[in-house]
Amino acid sequence: MAAPLSDGDRRKQISVRGIAGLGDVAEVRKSFNRHLHFTLVKDRNVATPRDYYFALAHTVRDHLVGRWIRTQQHYYERDPKRIYYLSLEFYMGRTLQNTMVNLGLQNACDEAIYQLGLDLEELEEIEEDAGLGNGGLGRLAACFLDSMATLGLAAYGYGIRYEFGIFNQKIVDGWQVEEADDWLRYGNPWEKARPEYMLPVHFYGRVDHTPEGVKWIDTQVVLAMPYDTPVPGYKNNTVNTMRLWSAKAPNDFNLQEFNVGDYIEAVLDRNLAENISRVLYPNDNFFEGKELRLKQEYFVVAATLQDIIRRFKSSKFGCRDPVRTCFETFPDKVAIQLNDTHPALSIPELMRILVDVEKVDWDKAWEITKRTCAYTNHTVLPEALERWPVSMFEKLLPRHLEIIYALNQMHLDRVAALYPGDIDRLRRMSVIEEGDCKRINMAHLCVIGSHAVNGVARIHSDIVKNSVFKDFYELEPEKFQNKTNGITPRRWLLLCNPGLADVIAEKIGEGFITDLSQLKKLLDFINNETFIRDVAKVKQENKLKFAAYLEEQYKVKINPSSMFDVQVKRIHEYKRQLLNCLHAITLYNRIRSNPSKSFVPRTIMIGGKAAPGYHMAKMIIKLITSIGEVINNDPYVGDRLKVLFLENYRVSLAEKVIPAADLSQQISTAGTEASGTGNMKFMVNGALTIGTMDGANVEMAEEAGEENLFIFGMRVEDVEALDRQGYNAREYYERLPELRQAIDQINSGFFSPRDPGCFRDVVNMLMYHDRFKVFADYEAYIKCQGQVDQLFKDPREWTKKVIRNIACSGKFSSDRTIMEYAQEIWGVEPSATKIPPPNLPRD
């Protein structure tokens, strides 16, 4: 087993991190010292590690500024079609290392920091994650921003600058406890406030229909303050913008005449307005119909659309006088992509601006709106669909409610004309759901208001067409597309796994970094003994490094030659962490009943956050930690089996665990995981996948060959057949002795001796109302895990499969995904033009 490289050896390696020129190193040192002195007002005697991090961050940021300004100048002059990616979540993680990688500064900074007697990796660890997302949807938005900049698209990410992002997870007595994520406490060196572009957003009030047109009056105003974060492309001098809005109370807030005497109260009440951008709702795949959330959704939409229209009207750099007044060309200059239904209010809001403010004819406005907007669906789970009470709209957004009613009427008239007498179809397709509580179905609003609707993996897009939006697909089949998700190879290979990136670059050059399909060239080296050895060696080094991290952070010692079996994702019943638990228990029982037999040693790692109000998800975490407590302290087991819960799973932890994983678990019930993107990260980083035919797993198996993944369990058709027949969990419980033993142990308190009834709810759910059919896949899963063990005993064959997987992962770059959005939805071509760097004259 190779020891990890020393810092010195690492520096000597020729690597894809860029050669550090002596001039660059001196420049970085000089800039670092200048920032320590002038920006942080410290000297080396009193500076803390955090000061050093900030000095380095400002140094690296300086390299972005010229390129950032230049990119924006370039866009104003060329006036390309702009892409606006609207999302309530951007799960960015840390920015320092990503910026160094994309600017080719990593080696220069590494060397400069080393010469200053500091450790770059230590400084990188000080940065807080920007955790402005829950999981896949928010992280996808972040990968997309990286790809759009790398492809030279004039793109903008628009969202909310939450003061508190996804909570920090602490495990106390085996239970999840949430802690506020005060990520801005020490300031954020990557953002620039832009108070000069502050915009008003209106709420409440009433609608006045006058001869001059419709007026929305007597509203309450909240100001939206933009904060801009640079988004650098990979070594192309393009730096795009992510603009996040923060809520500010206007200075006359609550100081109107009716409040004359209570000045102090009025100033304290400013918090009520500013609460809009206070905190990210921590739900993944679940709709919670809270008024504050609806306010957040309208807040980001209203501020963003004003900004889009201001930019559309002034076409030359730095000019704030309106130039364009005709909106005919709007869809030729603007594309708005809705990341799920969360920004769906863009549709009625754009209608409101065009019709009420800009006085565009209704039908023309509707044509413009549809040609501008496109909608991405992210889930088929019914509990995740946004269905807002009409009563809430009536109060908060009265004009938008009128517009939605009018759009729905137009839509239903069209359906009724095409399907005369089909009343049930009208009910199914309406944007307004009738019932005790009338609701607005935001997904239906998105479908009628967009020119393109896409799912995020082929199987998901098929389900969207054949079930979720079946009626809409029959009406307008040309609207529906697939755009299989991807991940950025910059963060998810180059940054998190430089050892593997180096070994690959040595064989096929560096072109794969911006064209991941080039990984196919590795198929030529599948039987190359040196390459097999090098890939295995990198994995072993990553495992040793992660084992050391776990020991340092959590005081747990693990066996680095064991199989690292990893399932990291949000905790949810459909993701079936419980199936993983049942395998762990089964393995444990086999070791206990046959302690002298030789077993393939495993370290099972499960990580992820549970929504704070999701009782079953929290019970699942408690079960995982309880199983670990028993197994990890059983002397009969030794280091043949360990079960660990990885606390506070987040982007920066993913960057550590994924490169160290041997086995990736993607075991959702077929038909429930829209795509998954963690699956792709593991594949490109040299883990093998055990999974169901769900989401992008289907396409991964197609690319690499099904025999190179461990595919098991029901397909979508089998799940549907079982639904028709009726799923009876007890039947499996009675037929499979190992399953029965595991369930009985959980139920009897074997894993919770101090509270024997602790897991009764979990067992009751599994036995009597398990929507996700855990037991139905148990037998196939256990058998498949046996095949995993068999292959792991043959390291050479295992590594050959790993190489084949890496070689076939090229499709899953977000560069490919964005290329498809650009050409097939937005109607723009990626640009290979490299903007001249700031130190060279323009043109």
Side-chain angles (χ1 to χ4, degrees), residues 249 251 253-255 262-272:
N251 287 331
F253 186 79
N254 267 12
L255 286 168
D262 219 339
Y263 165 74
I264 297 289
E265 257 326 281
V267 172
L268 297 185
D269 280 349
R270 293 170 62 86
N271 280 324
L272 300 174

Side-chain angles (χ1 to χ4, degrees), residues 461-677:
S461 296
D462 288 342
I463 291 169
V464 161
K465 291 189 294 202
N466 303 328
S467 76
V468 190
F469 300 136
K470 182 173 191 285
D471 296 316
F472 295 90
Y473 176 65
E474 284 171 18
L475 191 68
E476 307 179 280
E478 66 290 339
K479 245 189 207 185
F480 290 81
Q481 303 189 20
N482 172 244
K483 295 286 167 278
T484 299
N485 283 163
I487 57 172
T488 171
R490 272 71 64 183
R491 183 176 294 266
W492 296 113
L493 179 53
L494 217 53
L495 178 158
C496 71
N497 203 342
L500 181 58
D502 277 341
V503 165
I504 293 170
E506 224 174 280
K507 284 282 182 271
I508 66 170
E510 290 180 26
F512 71 92
I513 299 167
T514 50
D515 175 11
L516 204 63
S517 66
Q518 292 189 26
L519 290 178
K520 273 266 176 274
K521 298 176 185 171
L522 292 175
L523 290 173
D524 296 343
F525 302 100
I526 214 133
N527 293 304
N528 179 310
E529 295 304 326
T530 359
F531 188 60
I532 293 171
R533 196 192 57 227
D534 287 346
V535 168
K537 178 165 171 271
V538 165
K539 179 63 74 180
Q540 200 49 47
E541 284 170 0
N542 292 342
K543 290 173 72 173
L544 284 165
K545 187 170 181 182
F546 189 63
Y549 171 82
L550 285 182
E551 201 173 334
E552 185 218 331
Q553 291 290 310
Y554 304 107
K555 312 284 171 256
V556 279
K557 253 188 120 51
I558 60 174
N559 169 10
S561 60
S562 66
M563 183 197 305
F564 284 15
D565 167 348
V566 183
Q567 186 181 22
V568 283
K569 50 186 73 247
R570 285 297 291 255
I571 309 294
H572 200 300
E573 288 160 85
Y574 87 85
K575 293 176 186 282
R576 298 201 297 191
Q577 282 90 357
L578 285 171
L579 188 54
N580 197 347
C581 290
L582 292 177
H583 174 246
I585 296 171
T586 302
L587 227 42
Y588 172 65
N589 288 332
R590 286 178 181 180
I591 292 169
R592 286 285 314 231
S593 63
N594 205 341
S596 54
K597 188 168 174 259
S598 102
F599 288 88
V600 174
R602 279 201 194 221
T603 303
I604 299 174
M605 308 182 210
I606 306 176
K609 291 174 184 175
Y614 188 174
H615 170 252
M616 187 56 66
K618 289 187 145 180
M619 289 308 306
I620 291 169
I621 291 174
K622 176 60 174 172
L623 178 61
I624 297 163
T625 55
S626 304
I627 291 168
E629 195 84 331
V630 169
I631 294 179
N632 302 348
N633 294 303
D634 188 325
Y636 279 101
V637 176
D639 63 2
R640 291 182 287 187
L641 181 61
K642 290 269 179 274
V643 175
L644 303 183
F645 187 83
L646 300 176
E647 194 178 291
N648 202 30
Y649 180 64
R650 58 200 185 281
V651 175
S652 56
L653 184 56
E655 290 164 4
K656 297 177 174 70
V657 66
I658 291 172
D662 291 306
L663 187 67
S664 155
Q665 299 230 34
Q666 309 296 336
I667 57 178
S668 53
T669 311
T672 63
E673 188 73 90
S675 166
T677 45

Side-chain angles (χ1 to χ4, degrees), residues 360-373:
V360 177
D361 164 77
W362 177 275
D363 291 332
K364 186 75 207 153
W366 184 230
E367 187 209 330
I368 291 168
T369 298
K370 282 201 291 190
R371 285 181 54 210
T372 302
C373 297

Side-chain angles (χ1 to χ4, degrees), residues 150-152 236 829-835:
T150 296
L151 291 171
N236 64 350
E829 278 297 328
S831 138
T833 323
K834 190 166 171 179
I835 299 169

Side-chain angles (χ1 to χ4, degrees), residues 204-247:
Y204 303 106
R206 58 193 178 84
V207 182
D208 197 8
H209 291 261
T210 72
E212 294 80 62
V214 183
K215 304 239 186 325
W216 180 19
I217 54 172
D218 301 339
T219 55
Q220 292 181 25
V221 175
V222 177
L223 299 176
M225 162 95 83
Y227 285 78
D228 289 356
T229 299
V231 179
Y234 182 73
K235 293 184 181 175
N236 64 350
N237 297 326
T238 294
V239 180
N240 285 342
T241 301
M242 175 177 66
R243 176 162 285 183
L244 302 180
W245 302 101
S246 184

